[in-house]
């Protein structure tokens, strides 16, 4: 099998040597990514920060012994982040509580003159309501922009199973957001 | 359901619809091996272009979800944790960093002191760009201030 080019290889090597500039660069490159992964998976900003911080700590520990050629560093880091998210989600299920985590309320359907902020809140709420595996598939493929083979590998499913999760998740989101006018959302927000 | 196989450059409409349902309207998110065939069908079959436009609507909504950005406090804490994890700069001889111990090095990295010394040494353009991004986020400096000249 041909070795997969890893765009992070040199950076990881420098981090492993304790290069402060490389450490800063790694933070700039990966911390936002881990934070977004955790935020989308958990829907809680505080927990997302905790997960992102822990994932980066594990990256620091791994860097000195990272062996290039086995897997891409970004894929490894996503596995770490996902496992940390799974732990949190499992703990939530184990803790029986009458008070669910804060979520945007489901008010009446907004009209087409939505502010971008309200749109974003609605989308976040719809994403949070998805079954975990569908949400995970959409987070990995749409938000984290991982390839299908990488995402399926991280989820321990076949590509076909991933595609089924994606289709079902997108269908559920389309239904939940059917009253919103997608063309009213400026893509310039991103 | 037809597939674009190795060596062929065709895709059925049904396959296109299946992939649109899964991956959305941006072909860059589609399976790499099938993008070229998908582009051809999109260009030839108006129904395919319509499918992509409809999927693009949901993509735009997904992109409207807020993008969390790391706070300054979080970034500093992560940088500082590198020293705690045992990452220490190793230098061959005495130099500007010789006086820095673990915690001092971490603090200096956060303050940009070490950064200013190391940036122009031996990093690739990609790594330098990321380091500039980080430094600019700390001090609101622009690229020329950080890189000099």
């Amino acid at each position: 099998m041909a070795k997969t080019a890893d765009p992070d290889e040199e950076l990881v090597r420098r981090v492993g040597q304790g290069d402060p500039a490389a450490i800063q660069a790694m933070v700039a490159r990966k911390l936002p990514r881990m934070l977004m992964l955790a935020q989308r998976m958990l829907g809680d900003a505080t927990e997302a920060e905790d997960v992102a911080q822990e994932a980066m700590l594990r990256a620091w520990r791994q860097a000195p012994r990272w062996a290039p050629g086995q897997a891409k560093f970004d894929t490894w880091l996503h596995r770490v982040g996902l496992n940390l998210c799974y732990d949190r989600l499992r703990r939530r299920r184990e803790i029986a509580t009458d008070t669910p985590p804060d979520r945007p309320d489901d008010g009446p359907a907004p009209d087409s003159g939505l502010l971008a902020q309200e749109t974003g809140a609605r989308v976040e709420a719809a994403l949070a309501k998805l079954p975990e595996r569908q949400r995970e598939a959409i987070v990995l493929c749409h938000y984290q922009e991982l390839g299908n083979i990488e995402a399926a590998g991280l989820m321990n499913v076949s590509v076909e199973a991933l595609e089924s999760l994606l289709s079902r998740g997108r269908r559920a989101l389309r239904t939940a957001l059917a009253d919103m006018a997608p063309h009213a959302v400026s893509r310039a927000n991103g | 359901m037809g597939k674009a196989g190795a060596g062929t450059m065709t895709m059925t409409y049904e396959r296109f619809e299946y992939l649109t349902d899964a991956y959305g309207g941006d072909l860059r998110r589609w399976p790499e091996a099938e993008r070229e065939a998908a582009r051809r069908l999109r260009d030839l079959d108006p129904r395919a272009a319509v499918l992509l436009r409809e999927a693009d609507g949901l993509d735009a909504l997904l992109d409207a979800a807020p993008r969390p950005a790391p706070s300054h406090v979080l970034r500093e804490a992560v940088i500082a944790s590198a020293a705690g994890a045992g990452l220490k700069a190793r230098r061959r001889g005495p130099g500007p960093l010789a006086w820095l111990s673990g915690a001092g090095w971490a603090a200096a990295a956060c303050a940009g002191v070490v950064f200013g010394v190391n940036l122009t040494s031996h990093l690739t353009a990609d790594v330098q760009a990321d380091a500039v991004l980080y430094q600019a986020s700390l001090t609101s400096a622009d690229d020329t201030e950080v890189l000099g000249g």
Side-chain angles (χ1 to χ4, degrees), chain A residues 129-141:
Chain A
K129 286 201 170 102
L130 285 180
E132 269 172 31
R133 294 291 269 173
Q134 290 177 20
R135 182 166 73 248
E136 186 179 348
I138 287 177
V139 169
L140 292 178
C141 291

Side-chain angles (χ1 to χ4, degrees), chain A residues 10 20 24 29 142-143 163, chain B residues 18 62 105 109 115 124 130:
Chain A
E10 190 223 336
Q24 291 185 2
R29 198 182 279 192
H142 184 90
Y143 289 107
E163 288 165 352
Chain B
Y18 169 84
L62 292 178
W105 160 85
F115 180 91
T124 63
D130 282 332

